[in-house]
Amino acid sequence: MTLAAARIDTGDTAWLLAATALVLLMTPGLALFYGGMVRTKSVLNMLMMSFVSIALVTVVWLAAGYSLAFGDDIGGGLIGGLDHAGMAGLGPDSVQGTVPTLLFATFQLTFAIITAALVSGAVADRAKFGAWLVFVPVWAVLVYVPVAHWVWGPGGWILEHLGALDFAGGLPVEITSGASGLALCLVLGPRLGFRKEAMRPHNLPMVMLGAGLLWFGWFGFNAGSALGANGLAAAAFLNTLAAGCTGLLGWLFVEQRRDGHPTTLGAASGAVAGLVAITPSCGSVSLLGALVVGLAAGVVCSYAVGWKFRFGYDDSLDVVGVHLVGGVIGTLLIGVFAAESMTGGAEGLLYGGGLGQLGRQAVAVVAVGAYAFAVTYGIGKVIDRIMGFRASEDEEHTGLDLTVHAETAYDHGVLGHGAPVSSAAHSSHSSAQKVKSQA
């Protein structure tokens, strides 16, 4: 047995293998969550934007993303080097802490995947699929990778110089995806009929199923970030469950008082808001802090999703209202509720730590949010100028499922009249070809 192999802890490795699978499952869960929230004519397109992100981000992560994010710093805490481009030098015996480096790299890859997929919710129903295929790998390298290095990479300026805390991704995942979603929906403009037509979710059971898969996967997301089968993982696991529950209850409380009806969409959104907020803080706050963090996110985010109507930005599926706002809440509240028993040192305002940690968290929030917004806006504008980022009005009216993918999610109308399945499929394909030729 080599020395490196002797350092591998089988318990830690087994848990991280499971956690990696859980986090990867979150992206199909997100696809269902988003797919249920759009109208019937663009369901498949929404699913595809998440699923294709798995493939695109994986390729660029293995080629250069992992090395740039987690390689040795080469520039003042801003970016890593390319020593491990193409996963060079990372064989089966390479170890990161107590787990194989290849497993650590794969675990981190699943974070990058879902972050890119999250952005798609801001531009649902109107983005060209071809433009999305270009956007995702460019965005992953220019936005996600640098922020991941700042927060988690060796020598990253937020981690080692600023001293802000982020256990599982409030900055690289939640704030980055939310700020990027805001930038991209400004580049594309609002959907046809925004603020004039009701654009209700077409399938709430699908939304609830997606939310359940997200919640299930989130245990790997947060507890897996302990990188070991230990007490910290257990605490993060419980904090994740608690915050999801209070987020759900907080959102429903607001709905009941404001609208007179607690809704299934509100329950799903509230749970996700609580989970978003606890992501950065699950390894820093006590159970009481987790309950407060989740509740605060559920209440505030339930109001924040309505800001798009007030300010005129069409964030289709509330990436800004839930992920950006929830991520900011969770990251800032570390500066209030951080407990030494969890952090091993840093303390929040309520535990005698003063305003110092809160100030560091605020700097990190502003820096990451501003960087993600500015770079994403630039990427979106360049793609829009070169190839066009927005689907045509005809495509948007007809629906992206038929015009882009030549498929429809639901053929009940055709099959319900007794047509054979083969005839129905032929009819659907012919309709798609007709629409394409007219476009």
Side-chain angles (χ1 to χ4, degrees), residues 244-263:
C245 291
T246 52
L248 184 156
L249 294 173
W251 195 299
L252 291 184
F253 175 77
V254 171
E255 281 193 328
Q256 180 64 50
R257 285 183 59 87
R258 182 185 60 199
D259 310 320
H261 303 284
T263 67

Side-chain angles (χ1 to χ4, degrees), residues 1 142 184 218 260 347 416:
M1 179 183 296
L142 296 184
L184 209 56
W218 228 298
E347 292 181 312

Side-chain angles (χ1 to χ4, degrees), residues 67-310:
S67 187
L68 291 170
F70 291 95
D72 292 336
D73 185 77
I74 61 170
L78 298 177
I79 198 69
L82 287 171
D83 292 344
H84 300 301
M87 309 305 286
L90 302 179
D93 290 336
S94 179
V95 179
Q96 177 79 23
T98 60
V99 301
T101 304
L102 290 176
L103 174 57
F104 173 78
T106 308
F107 179 64
Q108 295 298 338
L109 163 61
T110 59
F111 282 61
I113 289 169
I114 194 168
T115 308
L118 283 169
V119 179
S120 67
V123 293
D125 290 334
R126 63 195 189 279
K128 283 185 177 180
F129 189 67
W132 180 251
L133 296 179
V134 175
F135 172 81
V136 168
V138 174
W139 180 89
V141 172
L142 296 184
V143 178
Y144 181 83
V145 164
V147 175
H149 182 76
W150 300 352
V151 177
W152 295 321
W157 74 270
I158 288 179
L159 172 69
E160 298 196 9
H161 302 297
L162 179 61
L165 301 177
D166 185 346
F167 189 74
L171 293 163
V173 178
E174 309 300 351
I175 293 176
T176 297
S177 63
S180 297
L182 176 60
L184 209 56
C185 73
L186 293 178
V187 171
L188 269 66
R191 288 167 290 179
L192 299 176
F194 176 63
R195 294 201 286 195
K196 297 177 182 178
E197 300 176 10
M199 300 180 182
R200 298 185 182 90
H202 88 282
N203 191 326
L204 287 169
M206 183 186 292
V207 173
M208 295 294 279
L209 175 61
L213 289 173
L214 283 169
W215 200 337
F216 179 62
W218 228 298
F219 292 118
F221 202 91
N222 288 356
S225 293
L227 303 180
N230 50 42
L232 182 58
F237 195 108
L238 180 57
N239 283 346
T240 300
L241 176 60
C245 291
T246 52
L248 184 156
L249 294 173
W251 195 299
L252 291 184
F253 175 77
V254 171
E255 281 193 328
Q256 180 64 50
R257 285 183 59 87
R258 182 185 60 199
D259 310 320
H261 303 284
T263 67
T264 52
L265 179 60
S269 300
V272 171
L275 294 166
V276 166
I278 200 60
T279 293
S281 54
C282 61
S284 303
V285 304
S286 65
L287 178 58
L288 175 61
L291 292 168
V292 175
V293 167
L295 182 62
V299 170
V300 175
C301 291
S302 66
Y303 289 104
V305 295
W307 294 348
K308 62 185 179 183
F309 299 110
R310 180 182 303 175

